[in-house]
Amino acid sequence: MATSMLEHAARLGVRPGRLYIDGEWGEPLAGKRWAHVHPATNEEITTIARAEQEDVDRAVRSARRAFDEGPWPHLKARERKRLLQPLIDLVYANASELSDLQTLDNGLPVAFGRSYRVSAEFCADVFDHYFGWIDKITGEVYPQFSEMTPLQYLSFREPVGVVAGINPWNAPLLQFPEKVGPALATGCCIVIKPSEYASLTILRLTELIAELDLPPGVLNVVTGVGSEAGEALVTHPGVDKVSFTGSVAIGKHIVEAGAATLKRVTLELGGKSPAIVFPDIPELVERAAATIAGQVFYGLSGQVCSAQTRAIVHESGYDDFVQHLEARVAAVRQGDPFDEKTTSAPMINKTQLTKVQDFIERGAGDGATILLGGGEPAPELAAGNWVNPTVFVDVPAGSPLVRDEIFGPVLTVIPFRNEDEAVRIANQSDYGLAAGLYTADIARAHRVTRALRAGAVGVNGYSFMPNSPFGGVKSSGLGREGGWSSIEEFTEVKTMAVDLSAG
Ligand code: NAD
């Protein structure tokens, strides 16, 4: 690859990362560091602080102090808004740098960094959305139940307390505000643990938050490794709630680890999302092929929780679909993520690269057919973690190719004959995060949407929005984040009963 990522790190002024605890930047107590290696070239970009148990303990105790003893949870709405709202303009003002840092974190091609849902503008809009709730978080007043009791009941929403926010690596500009926004809006204090593979963007966002006048301890950031900093956070008795986005395996572990102190838990986990394509009108088949290829082969190359990796296509539109898919696969361009013409990202690390390669090899070995793509990446890409787009057909039922989340540029295409069969295939999964549906028939759109076991269904397209809920059923998660759902997840309802006869 002609361009080195180091030039971009120098251009962006990237420095070794530190921890942000109790309103101060500092080094981890044991002085350990983690190398941030870029997935496109495997060059070491910089190092980040590798927090361990004692550092996490300092961060949680700081958040506890800010919550239990500080003014933060009790601020009046106007004051909280006044303190937080400058962040929205700060993010907008630094949008281009933040977007480039995200590319330096995870290899997202710059051209895709501008697509709305992973952009710095989206990040600002998510903060804007949550800060808008601050003076609208209300409780309820219940009608008095019976004349045999003088009790009047009402309820309040109060902050859940100290939150541990744990992020994956694939969209720091989306996932950081999805944890920090509702936490700060509701009066919680939060300790954020970014992924060890994507800390640069979050450290810069933390610098922006450090420019606000927040009390120390309201936001703390501990970078480091999941099994160390992450584990210390999710087992810490001072944490009231864990908001986790990541893999199913770690999500299940977090539920177990939090059981002893009955932590509140929100889990945004993985998926194996189906896309059902009804060729009602010819344009729809092309649109479906473009959208599905866009999710699985472009941008993050299928390393997206909601990517529609099982294309379930009506047999009458099957050949047409494959033809359009072929054109999309042929147009994929791998390479320097800072080149505007690059369409697709490498796998985030060597472990993920090997995992995806294994799926492809085993899939082919088990009798599935590679219809499009596959093969070795171009020799000039050898230094990075690249995988060619791969489309499988004739996949045996129960194959890992249709069962497991691969998190790479691998798509299976499955034909169907009628609507019931399509829904049955789509629902044959332990996951239930998102689903796609392509149809021009409005009645079918409603019918099939209701029949699909998924947290979100996109009809003829899909994207995240700051004001709508997202989350999964079955193994894809617990709870919903986004919009008012996050306000509910970051608050507890307190009920008050007043004896109106007492004077
Ligand atoms: P991951 O589960 O490996 O890591 C996620 C985070 O958990 C990281 O910060 C990691 O350091 C931390 N972690 C690891 N071990 C831990 C432990 N023992 N205790 C506490 N924290 C620990 O996931 P990833 O590879 O970063 O991200 C990919 C996964 O995330 C995929 O499964 C993807 O589908 C999912 N994801 C889901 C959503 C969603 O909204 N549903 C969004 C993005 C990604």
Side-chain angles (χ1 to χ4, degrees), residues 32-45:
K32 292 195 188 158
R33 306 200 67 80
W34 168 266
H36 175 59
V37 170
H38 198 277
T41 57
N42 283 303
E43 292 166 293
E44 183 176 319
I45 300 294

Side-chain angles (χ1 to χ4, degrees), residues 36-71:
H36 175 59
V37 170
H38 198 277
T41 57
N42 283 303
E43 292 166 293
E44 183 176 319
I45 300 294
T46 187
T47 59
I48 56 162
R50 184 165 175 168
E52 293 183 295
Q53 177 96 42
E54 306 79 38
D55 306 298
V56 169
D57 187 52
R58 277 192 301 137
V60 174
R61 279 191 289 115
S62 164
R64 241 344 340 143
R65 262 194 316 276
F67 187 79
D68 295 335
E69 299 161 31

